[in-house]
Amino acid sequence: MLWGMAHLRSVQRSVTMNDENQVFDLGEVVRSLGEAGRRLTEIDASEGAAGNLSVCLLGSTIPHPEFTQSEVIDLPIAVPDIAGSTLIASGSGSRLRDIYQNPSACLGCLTVEPGGKTAVLRYAKQRNFSRLTSEFNSHLGVHYDHMCRDSLKYHAVVHAQPRRLVYLSHIAEYQDEGYLNRQLLRWQPEAILNLPEGVAVVPFIVPGTADLMGANVKALRAHDIAVWSKHGVMARSNLSVMAAVDLVEYAETAAIYECLDLSLGQRAQGLADSEIRAIARVYGVKQRLY
Ligand SMILES: [Zn+2]
């Protein structure tokens, strides 16, 4: 079964990316961010300059040849325990679909300085942004939480705005986490395998604020993806940035089925609770939703 093979590949990649002596080629990391940006655009989760991406790396790096300029910036939160780590993040106003073709215009590369309050931002001459993404505080908060908690060497975070999931988050019932997950995870057998903890729900909070960062860090501690009500989603992975994008795609696909069902007068039954429990049992997935 393909699920088993995919899982095995993920585990192997995880071991590699989080290896003790990992050397990160920033050229490859940048390319992975470009591919992720393209996929988020393909699935209608990144209109205009919406959405943002970042990775956090702890280990040796092979520098990117185009990040030749530098300046020191204040970090939105102090992250002393990951001093020396490298973060690559998209710039404010950058289109995720442009990263693949023109990464150096869209991305900045940070090295966290001792003490964790400041970082050296390296960027290219053709940089097309004045500051990093306005959601950088949420990215950094989630990276810090997981890098420290799980002693990771690699962690990826994506923020996207998938349309159906966001639409559902405007409906009061779907702002209830239990209801949202039971409605979403019934549409495909893969859903409970890929989202065994379900999707966390963060209430509407003004974008870019410390309040959103705090609620989001808490939500992503026990989940790999959170809906920011009436706004978008944030997903995380310690495997690859594309694995985080996959989570957005799985959740959005479920939301597409849910919206289809709503628009056709709720004629479908979806997978029964007993069927979902049987899938989880056969594939050894621990879940508490059904
Ligand atoms: Zn947004």
Side-chain angles (χ1 to χ4, degrees):
M1 200 46 110
L2 284 175
W3 295 331
M5 288 170 63
H7 178 67
L8 184 62
R9 277 200 303 275
S10 296
V11 170
Q12 285 168 338
R13 186 144 180 84
S14 172
V15 169
T16 306
M17 295 298 264
N18 280 295
D19 187 52
E20 193 58 36
N21 301 310
Q22 179 71 44
V23 178
F24 295 100
D25 180 341
L26 297 191
E28 270 183 37
V29 174
V30 162
R31 202 159 32 249
S32 73
L33 290 167
E35 287 166 355
R38 282 209 304 205
R39 187 64 193 146
L40 287 172
T41 305
E42 284 169 357
I43 64 168
D44 289 337
S46 174
E47 74 281 5
N52 30 74
L53 310 169
S54 69
V55 291
C56 184
L57 318 165
L58 197 52
S60 308
T61 56
I62 299 170
H64 191 286
E66 290 181 27
F67 295 141
T68 55
Q69 314 295 301
S70 67
E71 64 188 46
V72 175
I73 64 164
D74 292 327
L75 292 173
I77 55 166
V79 290
D81 295 340
I82 58 167
S85 64
T86 300
L87 293 105
I88 302 182
S90 52
S92 178
S94 296
R95 298 182 193 92
L96 298 191
R97 63 178 180 270
D98 289 347
I99 295 174
Y100 190 83
Q101 291 284 6
N102 200 4
S104 48
C106 305
L107 299 174
C109 179
L110 295 167
T111 306
V112 179
E113 294 203 298
K117 291 182 178 168
T118 57
V120 177
L121 171 64
R122 293 189 173 79
Y123 57 93
K125 279 184 184 153
Q126 60 269 43
R127 154 181 163 172
N128 206 12
F129 55 90
S130 55
R131 55 187 173 79
L132 294 174
T133 166
S134 57
E135 305 291 1
F136 185 64
N137 56 352
S138 267
H139 284 255
L140 185 59
V142 175
H143 285 308
Y144 193 51
D145 201 44
H146 286 273
M147 294 289 284
C148 295
R149 198 173 288 275
D150 301 324
S151 302
L152 298 176
K153 306 291 177 195
Y154 175 94
H155 192 249
V157 169
V158 308
H159 165 57
Q161 301 186 176
R163 295 173 191 175
R164 282 76 166 198
L165 210 43
V166 172
Y167 169 72
L168 293 176
S169 80
H170 283 267
I171 302 172
E173 296 99 290
Y174 290 88
Q175 291 164 9
D176 177 89
E177 201 169 292
Y179 184 80
L180 175 74
N181 282 299
R182 289 182 59 81
Q183 294 302 106
L184 289 184
L185 299 186
R186 62 191 176 132
W187 292 118
Q188 287 185 313
E190 289 94 332
I192 195 68
L193 304 181
N194 290 300
L195 301 164
E197 308 291 343
V199 177
V201 175
V202 174
F204 176 77
I205 302 173
V206 174
T209 58
D211 285 348
L212 176 56
M213 177 190 68
N216 179 55
V217 167
K218 202 169 152 207
L220 286 175
R221 194 165 288 161
H223 298 80
D224 293 334
I225 179 167
V227 172
W228 296 353
S229 294
K230 307 182 186 181
H231 177 173
V233 298
M234 183 166 269
R236 56 160 294 274
S237 173
N238 56 8
L239 305 177
S240 67
V241 65
M242 196 59 97
V245 171
D246 284 345
L247 297 179
V248 177
E249 193 168 356
Y250 288 126
E252 174 64 355
T253 301
I256 289 170
Y257 280 110
E258 182 68 10
C259 287
L260 194 61
D261 193 47
L262 290 173
S263 66
L264 293 177
Q266 296 178 290
R267 297 178 61 191
Q269 284 80 49
L271 288 161
D273 288 10
S274 59
E275 291 168 330
I276 295 175
R277 282 196 293 270
I279 295 164
R281 199 165 49 242
V282 168
Y283 286 92
V285 171
K286 287 197 176 74
Q287 58 87 27
R288 290 172 287 109
L289 295 166
Y290 291 89

